[in-house]
Structure formats: structure tokens, C-alpha cells
Amino acid sequence: AGAGRAPALPGAGVAQVTVRDALNQALDEELERDERVFLLGEEVAQYDGAYKISRGLWKKYGDKRVIDTPISEMGFAGIAVGAAMAGLRPVCEFMTFNFSMQAIDQVINSAAKTCYMSAGAIPVPIVFRGPNGASSGVAAQHSQCFAAWYGHCPGLKVVSPWSAEDAKGLLKSSIRDDNPVVMLENELLYGVAFEMSEQAQSKDFVVPIGKAKIERPGTHITLVAHSRPVGHCIEAASVLAKEGVECEVINLRTIRPMDIETVEASVVKTNHLVTVEGGWPQFGVGAEICARIMEGPAFNYLDAPAVRCTGADVPMPYAKILEDNCTPQVKDIIFAVKKTLNI
């Protein structure tokens, strides 16, 4: 999607902006807007971030607002949660969400549960963010999607952006939210440029948490995805359109709370559903969507069973050809659509 093109200047109408630059803009604007906001994590300050998301922010805001931490996720996540309880608004970067396993006690038992256990007396306004899911050639211990893990836990909000507009708007909403938010980005999208409207480039732009977006309207089948697979769904829809099949592509944007109403309304219209995700099949995001459709009013409108298109049920292999076979590709989505429509 136009990767590598330089972003136009804000105010020049529609611009090509990478996901990396969109996240950087969001952090810059929120650090400037609210002095309680600060960023901490490994290499976020002097090195400008492992993925250059925080480029230039340490030079601009200094040591108190952009903080390099030791390699101890449990330690710096705990510091961030305590800071949030004390009234600050930390943004805690994990170099990959696979490393958030080191800090899952802080995320779940401390951040997610405190507001409820204190009867609302102690809000925990914190954002845990970083790359999630498979990257490229980083093997099993760096390739897991945690959308289902964190989406399982009450007390958290969980967002999963696809485009630059998603990334900027959801990060700004997450920082302003009084609840702990887990923001699952995708490393392979950081360098991809998307069109951003003039409105999306403004400092007031936010994407509401809990609202999905219809990226492509269609009438024959509903495709629901989050993060990078949204792009695969749009590619698959373009191929299928040449064969007369019109897919409605829904970008979930938020995993928890899930906008099941948008999915239901689409299924009522198309009568068919395929869910697409990079995570494992068992207890996954797609499994949850299918269950919610089964239990709700849209079930009576289905003309075929809902189908899940997921990652393979194995730890991620290192070899590229095996890696490609373990994550949903455009051809897999096309196959799932044709299977569902019996064509």
C-alpha cells in the first residue's frame, strides 16, 4: 500500500503516512498535550526506539518523559502500573508482546483488576503497546499473537490497528482512556504507508475504542479481520470481485470491547461469514466472533456455516516457506470464501 513514499506535509490534504510515523505523531501530540503522559521501555529514549517509533521524542521531551529501562519487563511494567495508580499516564512499550509474558502478572493482576477491586477508587490509565504476532524469520518465541490472551481478560481494553489512521487514532484514544489498554501493533506494518485524510492528521483526531470499520462494502460474504490480515482480506476481495463475488471487509480495530453489532449487521446483509486472523485457531478471536454470531440474532440469516481462517496450530517455524504456510495468505482467504459460498 504505497510503502516507502514520503509523507506530505500536514494540511496538504490527503497524505501518505507510514504506520511508524502515525504512531510517532500520536505520541508526540499526547506528550505535548498532557504533562502526565510519559513513555518508558527498552531503548525508547537515546536510541529512538527499537523500531524508531519514538524517534526524536527523547531529544524533545527529555529524561523525565521518555525513559530508557533495563531489560526487565516485570520491573518496568510494575513501575508503570504504580505510576498510573499515582495519577500519571504511562505508555509502556514492550519490544515485542512475546516479552510481555515476563510482565503478565503486572498487566492482568495489577493493571486490569485494580479499578474493579477498589470499587472504582483507583483508575489505572496505562497503555501497554508494541509489536504483536508474527514478524519475519524470528521463529516461535517472537511470533505469537496475543489478541485472544488479552481479549480474554475483563478490566482491559484491547486494540489492534491496521492502517496509519487506525494506529494514530487508537493510540491517542488509548492514552486518554482511564482504563488499562493493550495496543497490539504489527512490526511488518510499521514501514507501510497508508493514505491519511487531512482530518486524521489533525491533533484532535481520535478513533473511538470499541468501534469496527467497514473497509470495503459488499453483498455476498462478510470477512472480519484485525491487524495485518485486514490488508490480505482487501486483496482477496479485489481478486474475488473479478469473479463476481463482492466481499464486505470489516476491520475490527478493537478486540475488547468487540463491536459485534457491526459484524451482525453485515452478516444479516451477506448471509455468509469468514473470520481471518494470524493467531492460533483454538479459543481465538475468530472462535469468539463465530460463537457470538451463533448466540445472536444474525444466526438465523446465515446460509452456510461460518468459517475461520487462522494461523496453523503449531509454534511458528523459522524457515520462510514454513512460516508462509503457517499464516493466512490471500490464497487461503479466497479458498475459505469459495468453500463458504460453495463455488
Side-chain angles (χ1 to χ4, degrees):
R5 272 188 252 174
L9 294 169
V14 174
Q16 290 281 336
V17 180
T18 64
V19 170
R20 173 181 289 110
D21 288 338
L23 290 164
N24 181 268
Q25 271 177 36
L27 285 168
D28 189 7
E29 288 166 12
E30 295 305 301
L31 283 160
E32 186 176 63
R33 176 179 174 269
D34 187 342
E35 62 184 20
R36 296 171 298 173
V37 175
F38 70 98
L39 174 66
L40 79 168
E42 294 150 356
E43 299 186 347
V44 298
Q46 295 187 39
Y47 188 67
D48 277 343
Y51 306 98
K52 302 298 176 250
I53 304 296
S54 51
R55 187 180 62 241
L57 299 179
W58 174 66
K59 282 193 178 79
K60 185 171 178 181
Y61 294 101
D63 290 327
K64 284 195 171 176
R65 306 288 302 284
V66 184
I67 302 167
D68 277 331
T69 65
I71 302 174
S72 172
E73 278 74 15
M74 180 182 276
F76 68 74
I79 288 168
V81 172
M85 290 176 179
L88 297 176
R89 305 187 83 87
V91 178
C92 176
E93 178 180 306
F94 294 124
M95 200 174 283
T96 154
F97 260 92
N98 299 270
F99 301 162
S100 75
M101 294 290 91
Q102 296 285 334
I104 201 162
D105 179 63
Q106 304 287 7
V107 179
I108 306 301
N109 284 325
S110 299
K113 297 175 182 175
T114 295
C115 188
Y116 180 85
M117 292 175 74
S118 68
I122 306 174
V124 187
I126 184 170
V127 180
F128 299 102
R129 54 154 295 273
N132 168 71
S135 178
S136 185
V138 291
Q141 290 175 329
H142 301 79
S143 294
Q144 191 172 333
C145 175
F146 291 92
W149 283 56
Y150 286 116
H152 181 65
C153 300
L156 292 176
K157 292 184 178 182
V158 183
V159 298
S160 182
W162 167 59
S163 65
E165 189 173 295
D166 292 352
K168 181 179 178 184
L170 285 170
L171 181 51
K172 287 169 75 77
S173 287
S174 300
I175 291 170
R176 296 179 190 190
D177 202 290
D178 285 334
N179 298 281
V181 182
V182 171
M183 182 158 172
L184 304 170
E185 300 154 14
N186 187 292
E187 184 185 334
L188 296 176
L189 289 173
Y190 284 155
V192 178
F194 290 85
E195 283 192 352
M196 268 178 95
S197 65
E198 198 163 352
Q199 175 200 3
Q201 293 169 63
S202 84
K203 291 186 178 183
D204 303 320
F205 177 73
V206 291
V207 168
I209 294 172
K211 194 80 190 89
K213 182 186 180 188
I214 296 170
E215 296 288 351
R216 179 186 175 121
T219 50
H220 295 135
I221 189 163
T222 300
L223 301 179
V224 185
H226 67 94
S227 191
R228 189 163 172 257
V230 174
H232 296 342
C233 287
I234 290 170
E235 282 183 53
S238 298
V239 173
L240 287 157
K242 292 172 186 160
E243 300 179 34
V245 177
E246 290 299 330
C247 303
E248 181 142 295
V249 179
I250 297 176
N251 172 7
L252 272 181
R253 284 181 160 177
T254 306
I255 306 300
R256 183 183 189 104
M258 189 177 279
D259 181 5
I260 207 68
E261 294 79 15
T262 295
V263 181
E264 281 176 340
S266 180
V267 170
V268 165
K269 180 173 73 171
T270 68
N271 313 114
H272 300 90
L273 173 65
V274 171
T275 67
V276 186
E277 64 190 304
W280 294 316
Q282 195 155 318
F283 313 111
V285 174
E288 175 64 21
I289 294 167
C290 292
R292 299 275 276 272
I293 292 298
M294 282 286 294
E295 293 165 354
F299 171 70
N300 294 316
Y301 291 84
L302 279 176
D303 288 344
V307 170
R308 291 176 293 158
C309 187
T310 72
D313 198 19
V314 296
M316 181 64 71
Y318 172 72
K320 176 151 182 38
I321 190 159
L322 294 176
E323 185 178 67
D324 288 346
N325 282 314
C326 280
T327 50
Q329 307 295 322
V330 173
K331 64 179 170 55
D332 303 315
I333 298 167
I334 293 169
F335 178 81
V337 168
K338 289 185 171 180
K339 175 183 167 186
T340 307
L341 293 173
N342 197 25
I343 56 175

